[in-house]
Amino acid sequence: MKKLLTAFLAVLILMTSCTNNMESNMSISLDYFCAYKHTATICEDDNYIFFAKEDGIYKKTKHSGIQKIIYKIESPNNLILFNNNLFFTSVDLKKIYKAEIDGSELCTVFDVENLSSEYQNILIKDYFLYNEKIYISSPALSLSCDFDGKTINIINGNCGTSSMEVEKSGLYYIGHSDRKFSIYKCDFDAKNDELFLGNGISKPTEQLYYDFVISNTAFFCAKRLPEKGLFCFDGHFEKKIFDGEIFNLTEKNGKVYFISFKETKTILFSADEAGCKELVELEDYNKNTGFCIVNGTVYFSSSDSLVKSINIE
């Protein structure tokens, strides 16, 4: 009888241990967090969630909740998925890696150290990929390049960009150091720049655009002067859909999100051409590190760099 009871307790302990392990697998714990317009510490596709930690890249299977490390590399960041491959930056923000999502192969596709001396000050934070080219958006210097880094196209001269998006008709950006606060359009090779929205003059006193995203061909633009708010431009007309200051404007899977304030609260909103919807309060939100929505959960960091997450579905 004692042997039977001992065996039963052993099985019970094993089952409890397995359950606890599965529960720990179900949650994602991030060591650090930062999100930009196109990249973040965490990203997803239909089947998996990928996230960075101090010891490497992890993959979580959505249907089972099981997660495992697939690449051991020091403090990666700025993840983005493109053509069923995972891209991320090195700890020093000088390299972009391309990785198979099954963990089978990792290679460097872009390295600032291989560029000429005039480009050595670039730190890769926000970037995206389009038509087998890498587009890097930076206040210091923005550029596009092939994966081998041999063909470099400088975007907006040496003025950098504070915001940059791509659409099938071309590349769109807001310059940084030129202080024109206008949206420009150029070819994919950074030629033939033309004014798209705004006055195109330095330090404008009206029509001041400071951020934008593109969703389903519509432009969602954050403006100041003469009034603050979010405006939607459909290619013909511009209408105001939100009144107030806009922070961390971003787009994901055809949906637009942003941060604004409601009295003393920091609120996450969604937006479409019809208007805006209040989603959730983000308590102690750090706007310098942004937010990212993955699998129905919004990730962000607090003022003391504590990573937080809230389910919004």
Side-chain angles (χ1 to χ4, degrees), residues 38 128-131 135 164-173 185-188 196 212-219 234:
H38 304 98
F128 57 86
L129 300 104
Y130 187 80
N131 284 346
Y135 292 85
M164 188 163 67
E165 299 285 348
V166 67
E167 208 257 344
K168 62 182 180 180
S169 61
L171 192 65
Y172 297 82
Y173 66 86
K185 176 186 177 183
C186 66
D187 298 337
F188 295 113
F196 181 71
F212 75 102
V213 294
I214 304 173
S215 178
N216 301 320
T217 72
F219 286 72
D234 64 4

Side-chain angles (χ1 to χ4, degrees), residues 113-308:
E113 301 301 325
N114 293 334
L115 305 180
S116 58
S117 58
E118 59 187 307
Y119 306 128
Q120 293 297 310
N121 64 333
I122 296 176
L123 295 178
I124 309 166
K125 297 179 180 179
D126 192 35
Y127 65 96
F128 57 86
L129 300 104
Y130 187 80
N131 284 346
E132 302 303 320
K133 282 184 177 291
I134 301 170
Y135 292 85
I136 299 172
S137 180
S138 167
L141 185 71
S142 296
L143 56 85
S144 68
C145 65
D146 298 323
F147 281 176
D148 59 12
K150 294 180 179 179
T151 303
I152 303 290
N153 296 306
I154 302 300
I155 300 167
N156 195 33
N158 293 320
C159 294
T161 58
S162 58
S163 184
M164 188 163 67
E165 299 285 348
V166 67
E167 208 257 344
K168 62 182 180 180
S169 61
L171 192 65
Y172 297 82
Y173 66 86
I174 295 175
H176 180 68
S177 62
D178 54 18
R179 310 295 290 171
K180 293 181 179 180
F181 297 100
S182 299
I183 301 176
Y184 285 82
K185 176 186 177 183
C186 66
D187 298 337
F188 295 113
D189 59 359
K191 297 178 180 179
N192 300 315
D193 300 67
E194 60 182 66
L195 183 65
F196 181 71
L197 288 173
N199 293 323
I201 59 175
S202 182
K203 299 180 180 180
T205 56
E206 61 180 5
Q207 296 299 308
L208 191 157
Y209 294 83
Y210 66 93
D211 201 1
F212 75 102
V213 294
I214 304 173
S215 178
N216 301 320
T217 72
F219 286 72
F220 292 80
C221 309
K223 295 173 64 176
R224 298 189 186 103
L225 300 177
E227 54 184 336
K228 299 175 182 179
L230 184 66
F231 295 76
C232 181
F233 178 69
D234 64 4
H236 303 283
F237 303 101
E238 185 179 81
K239 65 177 180 178
K240 189 175 187 179
I241 59 173
F242 183 84
D243 182 39
E245 192 81 13
I246 306 295
F247 298 97
N248 305 132
L249 182 62
T250 187
E251 182 273 342
K252 182 181 181 183
N253 298 330
K255 296 182 179 180
V256 175
Y257 302 93
F258 65 91
I259 298 294
S260 192
F261 298 106
K262 189 175 181 180
E263 297 176 347
T264 60
K265 298 179 179 180
T266 303
I267 306 296
L268 172 66
F269 290 85
S270 64
D272 56 29
E273 295 182 49
C276 301
K277 178 183 177 181
E278 182 177 328
L279 296 179
V280 68
E281 179 186 359
L282 303 184
E283 189 175 350
D284 194 24
Y285 176 77
N286 184 355
K287 67 181 181 181
N288 295 321
T289 53
F291 68 91
C292 180
I293 298 174
V294 171
N295 200 33
T297 298
V298 55
Y299 293 86
F300 63 101
S301 65
S302 64
S303 56
D304 58 358
S305 300
L306 177 68
V307 182
K308 296 185 174 185

